[in-house]
Every structure is written in C-alpha cells, then in structure tokens.
Amino acid sequence: MPVDQPDRLRQERVDHRFKALPPDADGLTVAELAAERRDLFTGGFTTPVLALSAESVEHNLALLQTYSERHGLVFAPHGKTSMSPQLFARQLEHGAWGITAAVPHQARVYRAHGIRRIFLANEVVDAAALRWLAGELADPEFTFICYVDSVRGVELMSEALTGAGATRPLDVVVELGAGAGARTGARTEAECAAVADAVAATPALRLVGVAGYEGEVPDADGAKVRGWLRRLVALAADFDRAGRFTATDEIVISAGGSAWFDAVADVFAEIPDLSRPVLKLLRSGAYVSHDDGHYRHLTPFNRVPDEGALQPAFRLWAQVVSRPSPEQAFLNAGKRDAAYDLDLPEAQVVRDGRTGEIRPADGITVSGLSDQHGWVRTAPEADLEVGDWVGMGLSHPCTAFDKWQLIPLVTADGTVVDYIRTFF
C-alpha cells in the first residue's frame, strides 16, 4: 500500500467543519485553496487561527534525520503528536523507518493512509483490534511490532489472533518498566523473562526484541536514565544468550521520547555484538513542531548544542475582543484552541489592527484560559487595543495539534502554502 494518501486529502472540500478557514473558501478543495497562496492576515481567515511554520517544520524534519543517521539510529517518530498523514509522509521522506502509534485507532489511521511499518508502543489486548490486525498481517509488505508486558496480555493476544486466523505471527517486544511507580512494563528482568516464555509458547506471536520508555524513569536525570537504558540493553543481551531470538533476523531494541534521546544515542552506541543485527529504534515525536514551553526546556539539544537546535513551529493568532481596563484584555482564543495542560500560551508578538505592523508583545501576559477566551494581563507599557492580533507560542504540541483538523502551513512572509489535516 503506497504512501499516496496525502494527495487524496488535498481533494477534500473546505467548509464549516474547519475552523478559522476563510468563509469565502467554502466549496474549494484544500488543493485549490492552497494554490491561492492567501495571506494569513489579509486572506479572509477568521480568528483564532493556528499556524504552522513551513520553514521550522522543514528544519526540524531535517535535523532529526541527520541526528539519527549520525548516531546509527533507526527512527520511527511517534505519530500521536500530529496524527497527520501529510507529516508522516514528510517524516518518511526524511528517512524514517516507520511511524510509532500508541493505540489501535492510530494504527488504523496509519494503515488507511498507506503506512507500511508501524511500531505500537503499548500492549494490544482489545479482541476487536487484534482481529483487525490479523487481517492486516495478510499483507506481506506490512511490518507491525508492539509491546507485551504480561503473561495475561500474551494469552489475550494469542487467543484473538488465533481465532481470527492470522496468517503469520505478530512481532512483539517485551517492555521493561522504567521503575517502581512508573507507567507500563514488566518491572523486573525475571518478569520480563516470564513474558518472553509465554510468547515462546504460542505460535501466534514472535519475540523480536525489547523496548521501553525512559521518559518514565522516576526522578529522571542523566545518570538514572542511562542506568535504566543499560538495563534494557542488558536484558536484550541476556535474552540473546538464552536463544530467545532464534525466530527473527534482527533484534529490535527501542526507546527514546523527546526529552532523553541523547541518552538513548549514548547507551545504544554501547550495544555489544549480538547473534543478529540490531535495529536501534528511536521513537521521538514532538520534534516535528517542537514548542515554546515544555519541550523548549526539555529538549536534549540544550545539552548537546553542537548537534543543532529545534525550532518552535506553532503560533496561535487571536484577536483582542475586549479591553475593559488598562490592566486587562481578553482574546478570542481559549481552551478549545490552545494547548494548556502543561503551560499557558506565551504572548510573543502583536499585529497592529490598524496598520498591520508586527511588534513584540511587551508587557502582555496570558494569565488564564476560559473555554473561548484568553485572559491577558497588561503592564503600563503594553500597546494593545481591540482588534489587534496577538501571536502566541504554545507548550506541548500533542495537545495543540488535536484541537485543529486543518492547520495552515505558513511561510515567514505570512503566505499559506498548504493545510495540514489531522485525524484525532
């Protein structure tokens, strides 16, 4: 199944389903609207409107491709961040091995848009999803790998896949938990071995490696994260010595969120020679848009600046709809429009409603969000009136993408060159 579906998405008709798009564009296809190269500010868009920087997205895609290649890593970026087939296609063009998912629905979206390799970083125990997956495994060009972390999970997977008549085994990796009180995963090496034994006992599954998520290490710091990653590598080596990987041509060792991929690169460089080639699989996802808050502070590039720097690609534009006092203003963007689970939006620039001039948002602070209003504190030096546009940086891209179905992709001069479709 080729990755050609983004072209089909551009034939979708624009209408009231897609917030912020110009009302006079109703009936145009996405491709036709993109071809008009409208200006974000004067082309009829209504506020609030979320914009994605074309230049920053391209920069970020290229940077992680280069980083992965430099460190000998295979990259399967987590698609839950954007749930955008267009961005998946760009990630694959930039060398990605495949796309990571978290739940079966996401995998179904990926398959509907032609993704041939999926790594699902969770244990799948839903019988209906496993029946669907059994059907997908009939495609010999489809590669699918998911976690297992319990004997009971192995039983449920085996029962559903066998009942559905799966034509080949499902590839699985044993998930090592990141520690007591962390998220999923078998907590001890002995428990991991018990899960691996259960996998070996059923023809419905095939053990191909080990995996986990270092971002869940309690009280994480560089030393603790590297310590856990070395446990993961040691688990793979122990499994290999025990002959647990005889059914596979390569051994998968996977980790790597968006906060510690430098540690993953360091420790995976230490992986000893095993009986089979090793697929060192990195899964960071937030890099594609980066952000102006959570990941700005957490990105590993802060620790390894010589390797590059990601660029925040999101900017949410809203208008001042009320200026009830010199100390307060209200915008027409709220929780329905902006990520807010980790940090509030950051006022960065103001576009003058009278002249179109863009200036720094001096003395302007977003102090809270209602459903459809942004609360703004204004210092005496703030130059802000009703009708002005405020451009805001966002924190946590995963909860920014999911509020918008069709996002303008904008160049630095304000020209909208495409529209990014999401499927949440």
Side-chain angles (χ1 to χ4, degrees):
M1 192 186 301
V3 184
D4 59 0
Q5 300 305 316
D7 289 334
R8 188 187 71 185
L9 294 176
R10 294 187 176 94
Q11 301 310 309
E12 191 167 14
R13 298 284 173 182
V14 173
D15 58 25
H16 61 276
R17 292 171 296 163
F18 306 115
K19 61 184 180 181
L21 298 193
D24 66 355
D26 277 11
L28 295 178
T29 66
V30 172
E32 289 167 343
L33 180 56
E36 292 184 355
R37 297 295 193 265
R38 296 199 185 196
D39 185 274
L40 184 70
F41 305 108
T42 62
F45 293 85
T46 63
T47 56
V49 57
L50 182 66
L52 196 59
S53 164
E55 293 89 352
S56 294
V57 167
E58 177 59 32
H59 169 87
N60 295 341
L61 289 169
L63 180 60
L64 259 291
Q65 178 181 13
T66 300
Y67 183 89
S68 298
E69 292 172 351
R70 181 185 304 127
H71 291 280
L73 302 171
V74 174
F75 193 28
H78 212 316
K80 71 177 175 62
T81 298
S82 72
M83 287 304 295
S84 169
Q86 290 155 280
L87 293 179
F88 299 163
R90 297 297 313 286
Q91 289 169 317
L92 293 169
E93 289 167 3
H94 281 78
W97 171 90
I99 306 295
T100 296
V103 292
H105 160 71
Q106 293 168 358
R108 289 189 62 205
V109 172
Y110 299 1
R111 286 298 282 162
H113 293 92
I115 302 301
R116 290 179 175 148
R117 288 176 176 161
I118 297 173
F119 185 99
L120 197 149
N122 232 329
E123 186 171 69
V124 181
V125 296
D126 183 303
L130 288 162
R131 288 194 294 271
W132 167 80
L133 186 55
E136 295 300 301
L137 291 173
D139 178 357
E141 295 186 346
F142 177 45
T143 297
F144 184 91
I145 303 170
C146 73
Y147 284 179
V148 287
D149 81 345
S150 65
V151 172
R152 175 57 175 158
V154 170
E155 293 172 352
L156 291 169
M157 296 169 80
S158 177
E159 179 182 343
L161 291 166
T162 302
T167 57
R168 60 183 166 107
L170 174 64
D171 289 345
V172 297
V173 290
V174 173
E175 183 192 6
L176 174 66
R183 207 160 61 188
T184 55
R187 292 294 190 258
T188 68
E189 282 76 1
E191 290 171 334
C192 287
V195 175
D197 287 341
V199 171
T202 172
L205 303 178
R206 181 176 71 154
L207 184 66
V208 298
V210 299
Y213 175 48
E214 76 291 338
E216 280 290 309
V217 170
D219 303 315
D221 59 24
K224 291 177 182 176
V225 167
R226 285 173 174 80
W228 178 83
L229 287 164
R230 291 189 176 100
R231 280 184 63 200
L232 183 69
V233 170
L235 179 66
D238 288 346
F239 277 11
D240 190 40
R241 281 191 294 272
R244 295 187 184 277
F245 296 131
T246 56
T248 183
D249 293 331
E250 63 182 2
I251 298 168
V252 178
I253 304 179
S254 179
S258 296
W260 292 104
F261 55 74
D262 58 330
V264 173
D266 291 346
V267 174
F268 279 15
E270 304 169 358
I271 293 174
D273 290 337
L274 301 180
S275 65
R276 285 153 177 74
V278 176
L279 191 75
K280 304 174 184 180
L281 192 65
L282 181 69
R283 307 191 307 269
S284 311
Y287 81 101
V288 68
S289 65
H290 199 44
D291 72 4
D292 280 296
H294 185 67
Y295 288 109
R296 178 177 63 192
H297 301 303
L298 290 183
T299 177
F301 287 116
N302 292 338
R303 296 186 290 270
V304 288
D306 291 346
E307 301 233 35
L310 293 168
Q311 296 176 0
F314 273 134
R315 180 162 281 172
L316 177 64
W317 290 95
Q319 276 186 289
V320 179
V321 292
S322 181
R323 189 77 159 98
S325 75
E327 298 81 26
Q328 196 171 37
F330 288 89
L331 309 177
N332 62 348
K335 293 179 180 178
R336 305 301 175 95
D337 314 298
Y340 61 91
D341 57 319
L342 295 178
D343 300 287
L344 289 172
E346 176 185 84
Q348 296 176 331
V349 294
V350 175
R351 184 178 187 276
D352 194 286
R354 299 178 187 270
T355 68
E357 175 191 1
I358 294 179
R359 59 181 180 269
D362 295 335
I364 299 170
T365 304
V366 178
S367 59
L369 296 174
S370 300
D371 281 354
Q372 303 290 178
H373 288 92
W375 294 60
V376 173
R377 289 197 308 267
T378 52
E381 70 272 19
D383 182 8
L384 195 66
E385 68 174 348
V386 170
D388 288 345
W389 292 43
V390 177
M392 294 170 282
L394 301 178
S395 179
H396 198 188
C398 298
T399 54
F401 274 108
D402 68 4
K403 293 173 173 57
W404 296 81
Q405 294 185 68
L406 206 55
I407 304 171
L409 187 69
V410 185
T411 57
D413 66 358
T415 302
V416 179
V417 295
D418 205 351
Y419 298 84
I420 302 301
R421 185 72 158 92
T422 66
F423 290 86
F424 285 94

